[in-house]
Amino acid sequence: MTRETGEGATTMAPQKGWIGRLKEDTGAAMAATLGMILLNLIVSATLVALVMNEYQTAALAEESRQAFHLANAAVAKAMFELQRDREWDDSLGATADHTAGDTTTWYRLYDGARYLDNVDFPSPAPLGRITVLARAAGPGEVPGCNSETCIWIRATGRVKAASRRIEVVLGKITGADFTAYSASDINVGAGGGGNGVFTLHGALYVANCTDVVVGGQTYCVGLNMQGNGAILNDQPFIGDTPGVQPYHNRVYVRGYVVGQGNSWQIGLDSQKMWGVHAAGWPEGFANQIDAYRRDDAVPLIPFADPSQLIADQKANASNELVAYVCTRPAGVCTPSQWQPVELGDPNRTLTLENNAKVLIPDKGSGIDCQQATYAVTCNTATGLNVGGTADFSLVFNGFLGPAAVNLSTQRDSSIHMRSQLEIRTDVLYEGFTTFLIENPGAQAVEIRNSVTPACKVSQGAGCPQTFGQPNGNTYAFALDGGGYVRGAGLEVDLVMLAHGNLKNDNPQNWYGMFIAGGLDFDNNPQIYPVPGLKANLPPGIGSFMRSGAFGVQVFRWRELF
Amino acid sequence: MDLGVSCRSGRQETGFTVLELLMALSLLAVMLLVAFTVFSIPFRAWMAGRKLADEQQNARLVLEWMTRRLRLAGMGAPADVAEYFTEAGADAVTFLANVDGIGGAELHRFCIDTTTGVIREQIGGGVTTSCATGAPLTSRGIRPLKVVLLQFAYFDGQQKALTPLPLPSDERPGVAWVRIVLGLDSNLSDGYEAADDLTFTTDAIVRNQ
């Protein structure tokens, strides 16, 4: 290239690289292109941020939902573990981390392998983690609850960043929570040959069902209301205040409820049952069921089989396995006139009847009415002679007048026998006693007359009630076989537990609690609950149910926000 | 002096010709047009999807709010009260529940204020028969939530529908399930219509029976 110097000469700059040229280029296309790229980057980044935010929000919502289900599962897990634990207020089993009697400290539930504290759940393919904390219920926190029967559970489910908590009160529910409990289906009117009318003024639990064809369709029926049976909510349930309605009587049936005819009724329109819980009822039958709540949620409450109770308790019975009976005037006999009844013999029957005096000595007392040594002791024995451990477990005097207490037993004790017991006269009893009758017969106990304390429950406010009350007079019969209550117009104030059937055949009034392998009612017995009875059950029964024959139910439910 | 060479050399090194500029701008315009055309369809789809997600999110939040409280119906209610639901209407529900964990159960009412298109919650002494007052249930607010429909249906524990609505007092104690239907207005201010009015449904199971 030629170069000239001087005015007018053009000087060429040295050749530059592409970066240099880029720095000096001033065209708009480059700027516009760069601007567009920048704009696209900003828009893209914004969109990505929004998408990510949307995704995270949706993911969190889903995780929250999953965490709630995990918390629910944790409650179910707690129910399962507590169902397996006989005692809730000890430091064993599920409550191993608990200090007995402590109602304020939250502790970790134990499932047999680990404490349920932030553990993977479900274990094979964890969705998240659960924690189950428990606290014994304090007195008065929940009506009817105490540290032995109720537990607060705080269940937490966690899935990644999401966490949900549920707090519930779980409680034991036993046969003692019902006026009548039947381990098998109830077929009202089908048994006994009667007309099938019966009236239950309280809560009922039916634990089983059998197939019945109704309207061409087969249902597993737990409660078959043939005839004019009725179950009413007209008497206060446990924890209810008399006169303050509605009461809380419920009907639980592990099967269908069906009825025949139009005259049966469960609850009234004016006095609905608090709940009727059953597998279902065929269409068209529900109009005879009046209840505030109706569903198919029926907790499994095992049968408190008295055979097991007898096996557990009989070694602690207070009596000798022999009774002495005198049928001479005024119950005064010579030693040879006292007739022994071997209570260990299942083929014998001990009969309480008019013009008979019956004595059962205390275990270890050595009393033998056939021995001259004890002639005075036996002939003069009264209800005052059942106070210690060296006299009598039972004194019955069938020579007393109709208004007198004629049967006395040692308080807070149980009486064991393998023979049958037959009651052929009105009995007014005193004592707080469980009769363990280890007889497999269908009539291990046969009751032909009233069996009540001196103040019958039916007398109401006209007489100081003692049955089922603290320090009161309450009898319980635990039967290895069945019980038969026969005789018109009689009243029984009793707790009756029967491995077999409890049967009746006449109009009667039953007050108390009736738990049986089967209930066979006829001729309109009226069956009533007794408020307070659950808390004052005769020896051994309450603890037997609480520690072995209970279901677990949710009493309170709330989610913690 | 060779001006031609000098001038050509200067133009080449310091700028573009008008023709080049026009060509570049034209090319850019074509590219932008193509890019806009290509991206507008997915962008519209994305906006529609986002709007739908918003709708769902809004509905989910409101339904979640109501469901979590309806589940607690009966919690802390006095023992002699059988009616946990004191109102069970087609577009409003009132129930007793101890939601705050303080004291006993208080009344809660969910209803729709059709004037402003919001669902309101009235609590305790704030419960009225109208829906003009009460705290509105709001969403996270990407778009304003406008509710055009709130419907309740009631079932007993065996999932049998309870009728007629509003439920008479002797039917209300049997309420064990509540079905909530929520309808949102999608025809708001923007131009990206995702769908017509959207409805969302959920069930709440009453836990305190």
Coordinates of all heavy atoms in Angstrom, one line a residue, chain A residues 300-348:
Chain A
L300 N -64.3 -53.6 67.8 CA -64.2 -55.0 68.2 C -64.0 -55.1 69.7 O -63.0 -54.7 70.2 CB -63.1 -55.8 67.4 CG -62.9 -57.2 67.9 CD1 -64.1 -58.1 67.7 CD2 -61.7 -57.8 67.1
I301 N -65.0 -55.6 70.4 CA -64.9 -55.7 71.8 C -64.9 -57.2 72.1 O -66.0 -57.9 72.0 CB -66.0 -55.0 72.6 CG1 -66.0 -53.5 72.2 CG2 -65.8 -55.2 74.1 CD1 -67.2 -52.8 72.8
P302 N -63.8 -57.8 72.5 CA -63.8 -59.2 72.8 C -64.8 -59.6 73.9 O -65.1 -58.8 74.8 CB -62.4 -59.5 73.2 CG -61.6 -58.4 72.7 CD -62.5 -57.2 72.7
F303 N -65.3 -60.8 73.9 CA -66.2 -61.3 74.9 C -65.4 -61.5 76.2 O -64.4 -62.2 76.2 CB -66.7 -62.7 74.4 CG -67.6 -63.4 75.3 CD1 -68.5 -62.7 76.1 CD2 -67.6 -64.8 75.4 CE1 -69.3 -63.4 77.0 CE2 -68.4 -65.5 76.2 CZ -69.3 -64.8 77.1
A304 N -65.9 -60.9 77.2 CA -65.3 -61.1 78.6 C -65.8 -62.5 79.1 O -66.8 -62.6 79.9 CB -65.7 -60.0 79.5
D305 N -65.2 -63.5 78.6 CA -65.7 -64.9 78.9 C -65.5 -65.2 80.4 O -64.4 -65.3 80.9 CB -64.9 -65.9 78.0 CG -65.5 -67.3 78.1 OD1 -66.2 -67.6 79.0 OD2 -65.3 -68.0 77.1
P306 N -66.6 -65.4 81.1 CA -66.5 -65.7 82.5 C -65.7 -67.0 82.8 O -65.2 -67.1 84.0 CB -67.9 -65.8 83.0 CG -68.7 -66.0 81.8 CD -68.0 -65.4 80.6
S307 N -65.6 -67.9 81.9 CA -64.8 -69.1 82.1 C -63.4 -68.7 82.5 O -62.7 -69.3 83.4 CB -64.8 -70.0 80.9 OG -66.1 -70.5 80.7
Q308 N -62.9 -67.7 81.7 CA -61.5 -67.2 82.0 C -61.4 -66.5 83.4 O -60.5 -66.7 84.1 CB -61.1 -66.3 80.9 CG -59.6 -65.8 81.0 CD -58.7 -67.0 80.9 OE1 -58.8 -67.9 80.0 NE2 -57.7 -67.1 81.8
L309 N -62.5 -65.8 83.6 CA -62.5 -65.0 84.9 C -62.5 -66.1 86.1 O -61.8 -65.9 87.1 CB -63.8 -64.2 85.0 CG -64.1 -63.5 86.3 CD1 -63.0 -62.4 86.6 CD2 -65.5 -62.9 86.4
I310 N -63.3 -67.1 85.9 CA -63.3 -68.1 87.0 C -62.0 -68.8 87.2 O -61.5 -69.0 88.3 CB -64.4 -69.2 86.6 CG1 -65.8 -68.5 86.7 CG2 -64.4 -70.4 87.6 CD1 -66.9 -69.4 86.1
A311 N -61.4 -69.1 86.0 CA -60.1 -69.8 86.1 C -59.0 -68.9 86.8 O -58.2 -69.3 87.5 CB -59.6 -70.1 84.7
D312 N -59.1 -67.6 86.5 CA -58.2 -66.6 87.1 C -58.4 -66.4 88.6 O -57.5 -66.2 89.3 CB -58.3 -65.3 86.4 CG -57.8 -65.3 84.9 OD1 -57.2 -66.3 84.6 OD2 -58.1 -64.3 84.2
Q313 N -59.7 -66.4 89.0 CA -60.0 -65.9 90.3 C -60.3 -67.0 91.3 O -60.3 -66.7 92.5 CB -61.3 -65.0 90.2 CG -61.1 -63.8 89.3 CD -60.4 -62.7 90.1 OE1 -60.4 -62.6 91.3 NE2 -59.6 -61.9 89.3
K314 N -60.6 -68.2 90.9 CA -61.1 -69.2 91.9 C -60.2 -69.5 93.0 O -60.6 -69.9 94.1 CB -61.6 -70.5 91.1 CG -60.5 -71.3 90.5 CD -61.1 -72.5 89.7 CE -60.0 -73.3 89.1 NZ -60.5 -74.4 88.3
A315 N -58.9 -69.5 92.7 CA -57.9 -69.8 93.8 C -58.0 -68.7 94.9 O -57.6 -69.0 96.0 CB -56.5 -69.8 93.2
N316 N -58.5 -67.6 94.6 CA -58.6 -66.5 95.6 C -60.0 -66.5 96.3 O -60.3 -65.6 97.1 CB -58.3 -65.2 95.0 CG -57.0 -65.1 94.3 OD1 -56.0 -65.6 94.9 ND2 -56.9 -64.5 93.2
A317 N -60.8 -67.5 95.9 CA -62.2 -67.5 96.5 C -62.1 -67.6 98.1 O -61.1 -68.2 98.6 CB -63.0 -68.6 95.9
S318 N -63.1 -67.1 98.7 CA -63.0 -67.0 100.2 C -63.5 -68.3 100.9 O -63.4 -68.4 102.1 CB -63.8 -65.8 100.7 OG -65.2 -66.0 100.4
N319 N -64.1 -69.2 100.1 CA -64.9 -70.2 100.8 C -64.3 -71.6 100.6 O -63.5 -71.9 99.7 CB -66.3 -70.2 100.1 CG -66.2 -70.6 98.7 OD1 -65.6 -69.9 97.9 ND2 -66.9 -71.7 98.3
E320 N -64.8 -72.5 101.5 CA -64.6 -73.9 101.4 C -65.5 -74.4 100.3 O -66.6 -73.8 100.1 CB -64.9 -74.6 102.7 CG -63.9 -74.3 103.8 CD -62.5 -75.0 103.7 OE1 -62.3 -75.7 102.7 OE2 -61.7 -74.8 104.6
L321 N -65.2 -75.5 99.7 CA -66.0 -76.1 98.6 C -67.1 -77.0 99.2 O -67.3 -78.2 98.8 CB -65.2 -76.8 97.6 CG -64.6 -76.0 96.5 CD1 -63.7 -76.8 95.6 CD2 -65.6 -75.2 95.7
V322 N -67.7 -76.5 100.3 CA -68.8 -77.3 100.9 C -69.8 -76.3 101.5 O -69.4 -75.2 102.0 CB -68.2 -78.3 102.0 CG1 -67.6 -77.5 103.1 CG2 -69.3 -79.2 102.5
A323 N -71.0 -76.7 101.5 CA -72.1 -75.9 102.1 C -72.8 -76.8 103.1 O -72.9 -78.1 102.9 CB -73.0 -75.3 101.1
Y324 N -73.4 -76.2 104.1 CA -74.2 -77.0 105.0 C -75.6 -76.5 105.0 O -75.8 -75.3 105.1 CB -73.6 -77.0 106.4 CG -72.3 -77.6 106.5 CD1 -71.1 -76.8 106.4 CD2 -72.1 -79.0 106.6 CE1 -69.8 -77.4 106.4 CE2 -70.9 -79.6 106.7 CZ -69.7 -78.8 106.5 OH -68.5 -79.3 106.6
V325 N -76.6 -77.4 105.0 CA -78.0 -77.0 104.8 C -78.8 -77.6 106.0 O -78.7 -78.8 106.3 CB -78.6 -77.5 103.5 CG1 -80.1 -77.1 103.4 CG2 -77.8 -77.0 102.3
C326 N -79.6 -76.7 106.6 CA -80.4 -77.2 107.7 C -81.9 -76.8 107.3 O -82.2 -75.6 107.1 CB -80.0 -76.5 109.0 SG -81.2 -76.8 110.4
T327 N -82.8 -77.8 107.4 CA -84.2 -77.5 107.1 C -85.1 -77.7 108.3 O -86.3 -77.7 108.1 CB -84.6 -78.5 105.9 OG1 -84.4 -79.8 106.3 CG2 -83.9 -78.2 104.6
R328 N -84.5 -77.7 109.4 CA -85.3 -77.8 110.6 C -85.8 -76.5 111.0 O -85.2 -75.4 110.6 CB -84.5 -78.4 111.8 CG -83.9 -79.8 111.5 CD -84.9 -80.9 111.3 NE -85.7 -81.1 112.5 CZ -86.7 -81.9 112.5 NH1 -87.2 -82.5 111.4 NH2 -87.4 -82.1 113.7
P329 N -86.9 -76.4 111.8 CA -87.5 -75.1 112.2 C -86.4 -74.1 112.7 O -85.5 -74.5 113.5 CB -88.5 -75.5 113.2 CG -88.9 -76.9 112.9 CD -87.6 -77.5 112.4
A330 N -86.5 -72.9 112.2 CA -85.6 -71.8 112.7 C -84.2 -72.0 112.3 O -83.3 -71.3 112.7 CB -85.8 -71.5 114.2
G331 N -83.9 -73.0 111.5 CA -82.6 -73.3 111.1 C -81.7 -73.8 112.2 O -80.5 -73.5 112.2
V332 N -82.3 -74.5 113.1 CA -81.5 -75.1 114.2 C -81.5 -76.6 114.0 O -82.5 -77.3 114.0 CB -82.1 -74.7 115.5 CG1 -81.3 -75.4 116.7 CG2 -82.1 -73.2 115.7
C333 N -80.3 -77.2 113.9 CA -80.2 -78.6 113.6 C -79.2 -79.2 114.5 O -78.3 -78.5 115.1 CB -79.7 -78.8 112.2 SG -80.9 -78.5 110.9
T334 N -79.3 -80.4 114.7 CA -78.3 -81.2 115.4 C -77.2 -81.4 114.3 O -77.4 -81.3 113.1 CB -78.8 -82.6 115.8 OG1 -79.2 -83.3 114.7 CG2 -80.0 -82.4 116.8
P335 N -76.0 -81.8 114.8 CA -74.9 -82.0 113.8 C -75.3 -83.0 112.8 O -74.9 -82.8 111.6 CB -73.8 -82.6 114.7 CG -74.0 -81.9 116.0 CD -75.5 -81.8 116.2
S336 N -76.0 -84.0 113.1 CA -76.4 -85.0 112.1 C -77.4 -84.5 111.1 O -77.6 -85.0 110.0 CB -76.8 -86.3 112.7 OG -78.0 -86.0 113.5
Q337 N -78.2 -83.4 111.6 CA -79.2 -82.9 110.7 C -78.7 -81.9 109.7 O -79.3 -81.6 108.7 CB -80.3 -82.2 111.5 CG -81.1 -83.2 112.3 CD -82.1 -82.6 113.3 OE1 -81.8 -81.5 113.8 NE2 -83.2 -83.3 113.6
W338 N -77.5 -81.4 109.9 CA -76.9 -80.5 108.9 C -76.4 -81.3 107.7 O -75.7 -82.3 107.9 CB -75.7 -79.8 109.5 CG -76.0 -78.6 110.4 CD1 -76.1 -78.6 111.7 CD2 -76.4 -77.3 109.9 NE1 -76.5 -77.3 112.2 CE2 -76.7 -76.5 111.1 CE3 -76.5 -76.7 108.7 CZ2 -77.0 -75.2 111.0 CZ3 -76.8 -75.4 108.6 CH2 -77.1 -74.6 109.7
Q339 N -77.0 -81.0 106.6 CA -76.7 -81.8 105.4 C -75.6 -81.1 104.6 O -75.7 -79.9 104.2 CB -77.9 -82.0 104.5 CG -79.0 -82.7 105.2 CD -78.6 -84.1 105.6 OE1 -78.1 -84.9 104.8 NE2 -78.8 -84.5 106.9
P340 N -74.5 -81.8 104.3 CA -73.5 -81.2 103.5 C -73.8 -81.2 102.0 O -74.5 -82.1 101.5 CB -72.2 -82.0 103.8 CG -72.8 -83.4 104.1 CD -74.1 -83.1 104.8
V341 N -73.4 -80.2 101.3 CA -73.5 -80.1 99.8 C -72.1 -79.9 99.3 O -71.5 -78.8 99.6 CB -74.5 -79.0 99.3 CG1 -74.5 -79.0 97.8 CG2 -75.9 -79.2 99.9
E342 N -71.6 -80.8 98.6 CA -70.3 -80.7 98.0 C -70.3 -79.7 96.9 O -70.8 -80.0 95.8 CB -69.8 -82.1 97.5 CG -69.5 -83.1 98.6 CD -68.5 -82.6 99.6 OE1 -67.6 -81.9 99.2 OE2 -68.6 -83.0 100.8
L343 N -69.8 -78.6 97.1 CA -69.8 -77.5 96.1 C -68.8 -77.8 95.0 O -68.8 -77.2 93.9 CB -69.5 -76.2 96.7 CG -70.5 -75.7 97.8 CD1 -70.1 -74.3 98.3 CD2 -71.9 -75.7 97.2
G344 N -67.9 -78.8 95.2 CA -67.0 -79.2 94.2 C -67.5 -80.2 93.2 O -66.9 -80.6 92.2
D345 N -68.8 -80.6 93.5 CA -69.4 -81.6 92.6 C -70.3 -80.9 91.6 O -71.4 -80.4 92.0 CB -70.2 -82.6 93.5 CG -70.8 -83.7 92.7 OD1 -70.7 -83.7 91.5 OD2 -71.3 -84.7 93.3
P346 N -70.0 -81.0 90.3 CA -70.9 -80.4 89.4 C -72.3 -81.0 89.2 O -73.2 -80.4 88.6 CB -70.1 -80.5 88.0 CG -69.2 -81.6 88.3 CD -68.9 -81.7 89.7
N347 N -72.5 -82.1 89.8 CA -73.8 -82.8 89.7 C -74.7 -82.4 90.9 O -75.8 -82.8 91.0 CB -73.6 -84.3 89.7 CG -72.9 -84.7 88.4 OD1 -73.2 -84.2 87.3 ND2 -71.9 -85.6 88.5
R348 N -74.2 -81.7 91.9 CA -75.0 -81.3 93.0 C -75.6 -79.9 92.7 O -75.1 -79.1 91.9 CB -74.1 -81.2 94.3 CG -73.6 -82.5 94.8 CD -74.7 -83.5 95.2 NE -75.5 -83.0 96.2 CZ -75.3 -83.1 97.5 NH1 -74.2 -83.8 97.9 NH2 -76.1 -82.7 98.4

